[in-house]
Amino acid sequence: MTAFERIYGYPAEAAGEAPGRVNMLGEHTDYNEGFVLPTIIQKTTRVLVAQSPSGVDRAVSAQLAPDGGFGRYVSGCTAVLRAAGHRVPAVSVHIDSNVPIGAGLSSSAALEVALLRALRSRFSLDLDDVDIARLAQHAENEYAGVNCGIMDQMAASVGVAGHLLLLDTRSLATALVPLPEGGDICVLDSGTRRSLATSAFNQRRSECEQAARALGVASLRDVDDLDRIEQLPPPLNGRARHVVTENRRVLAAANTSAREFGQLMNASHASLRDDFDVSVPSLNLLVDCLQQDERVFGARLTGAGFGGACVALVRSGTQSLVAQDVLAEYGSFGHAGTRLV
Ligand code: GLA
């Protein structure tokens, strides 16, 4: 008997799965209609659904208590489907996930996309994978209160294992890019938790929108001239400078060597720390420890920031040793980090 059946007393009728993601480059560019370069990770959320005989939506998680915060993602997804005119009756939902929560690996997007896939399958909804990413983003914007862009939901919905997903978040055009030759991905959690909705995420987004308005463009994607940015008052100049230089870094990184890719990652971290101001001391320390390791091509905070994980591009085959050595050094400063990927 499945956990679903034990809890609800009847079998599940459909399933959906989606992975977490790690973003290699292109941070805080997606809601500025810019470029991002995430890849999916081998951690997955699996959702089982059935039509609810009681006529009431219910959701249970194998990992989280009922008040664990996942309910708003579930009700958000069913609400956006219904608002878009899809016929979705009340459902019973069971969630099982090994995507780390609150680490910057998009556990929420994995849940939204897995659930929407399960509902598409159960109710034969006419939705393609990009539709699913868009609906998942609306659910997050309107029901979880995070004004996120579409990177995480696109990565979870159309990402392919073993490839980087180069995404133009304005046109939603995608290209699969190989990982730089000789490089592997290592993701370390700083142990500092964050919460997107309560963090300064929405504030950063509105600062970017203010900067775009002041420069007379629809979004910061349309800015190329760094001199014009310098005329903006702080902190808007730094916010805009980060977005413009980060877009350039993403485009320069696709199909480059591991060494150059790593340098772009290091520059991205400095820009997120100094211009965009989304780093915290523990992330800076962990990134420093990584960057000083000779087996590491480059390292940066990944995801929204304010805590969570760091990603590094390391010489192939060295992930375990790098993680062990770097976490020991990080630990000697009194922090408890862990390896996630
Ligand atoms: C979060 C958001 C994304 C993106 C990143 C920062 O993960 O959900 O849309 O803005 O932060 O790059």
Side-chain angles (χ1 to χ4, degrees), residues 4-58:
F4 185 103
E5 218 170 330
R6 263 199 312 280
I7 291 162
Y8 291 110
Y10 43 88
E13 296 163 346
E17 278 189 12
R21 66 98 186 94
V22 62
N23 189 23
M24 296 300 290
L25 263 178
E27 221 64 86
H28 292 277
T29 48
D30 63 350
Y31 52 83
N32 292 296
E33 301 195 346
F35 300 94
V36 294
L37 199 57
T39 184
I40 58 174
I41 57 172
Q42 288 191 345
K43 306 231 181 251
T44 313
T45 296
R46 182 173 162 80
V47 171
L48 296 173
V49 298
Q51 188 166 342
S52 163
S54 69
V56 179
D57 282 328
R58 275 190 67 195

Side-chain angles (χ1 to χ4, degrees), residues 21-29 31 103-106 151-152 187 194 196 201 242 246 268 272 276 278-279 283 300-311:
R21 66 98 186 94
V22 62
N23 189 23
M24 296 300 290
L25 263 178
E27 221 64 86
H28 292 277
T29 48
Y31 52 83
L105 301 183
S106 286
M151 165 171 69
D152 306 340
V187 181
R194 63 179 177 83
L196 262 189
F201 185 94
H242 166 73
E246 186 78 350
S268 170
L272 288 161
F276 215 67
V278 291
S279 195
L283 284 173
R300 53 184 287 276
L301 72 82
T302 187
F306 313 109
C310 297
V311 61

Side-chain angles (χ1 to χ4, degrees), residues 129-151:
D129 291 340
V130 173
D131 296 331
I132 286 208
R134 283 207 174 96
L135 288 165
Q137 184 200 12
H138 290 161
E140 183 112 13
N141 291 164
E142 288 154 35
Y143 293 86
V146 184
N147 285 326
C148 63
I150 201 165
M151 165 171 69

Side-chain angles (χ1 to χ4, degrees), residues 152-318:
D152 306 340
Q153 293 78 11
M154 279 292 283
S157 193
V158 308
V160 174
H163 293 81
L164 304 175
L165 180 74
L166 175 61
L167 168 65
D168 176 340
T169 63
R170 172 171 275 171
S171 65
L172 297 190
T174 57
L176 292 176
V177 176
L179 201 62
E181 212 180 316
D184 271 334
I185 296 171
C186 178
V187 181
L188 302 181
D189 187 5
S190 68
T192 319
R193 279 285 156 275
R194 63 179 177 83
S195 159
L196 262 189
T198 57
S199 72
F201 185 94
N202 292 345
Q203 186 198 343
R204 290 294 177 284
R205 180 169 183 156
S206 84
E207 286 167 352
C208 289
E209 287 164 358
Q210 276 177 54
R213 266 197 304 279
L215 293 167
V217 291
S219 81
L220 290 179
R221 153 74 174 267
D222 298 315
V223 181
D224 208 25
D225 181 356
L226 285 171
D227 291 338
R228 280 191 65 209
I229 287 175
E230 295 318 317
Q231 291 154 20
L232 293 171
L236 301 189
N237 54 354
R239 307 296 188 252
R241 196 186 306 120
H242 166 73
V243 174
V244 172
T245 58
E246 186 78 350
N247 278 327
R248 290 180 185 173
R249 283 186 283 273
V250 173
L251 295 176
N255 298 305
T256 193
S257 69
R259 193 158 300 281
E260 279 172 53
F261 195 108
Q263 283 161 3
L264 292 163
M265 291 174 80
N266 293 346
S268 170
H269 184 77
S271 177
L272 288 161
R273 181 191 59 209
D274 302 334
D275 281 341
F276 215 67
D277 193 18
V278 291
S279 195
V280 292
S282 59
L283 284 173
N284 293 334
L285 175 63
L286 187 51
V287 165
D288 278 350
C289 297
L290 281 162
Q291 288 178 354
Q292 277 160 28
D293 190 303
E294 55 169 27
R295 296 159 293 191
V296 173
F297 294 114
R300 53 184 287 276
L301 72 82
T302 187
F306 313 109
C310 297
V311 61
L313 186 71
V314 306
R315 212 185 308 138
S316 290
T318 67

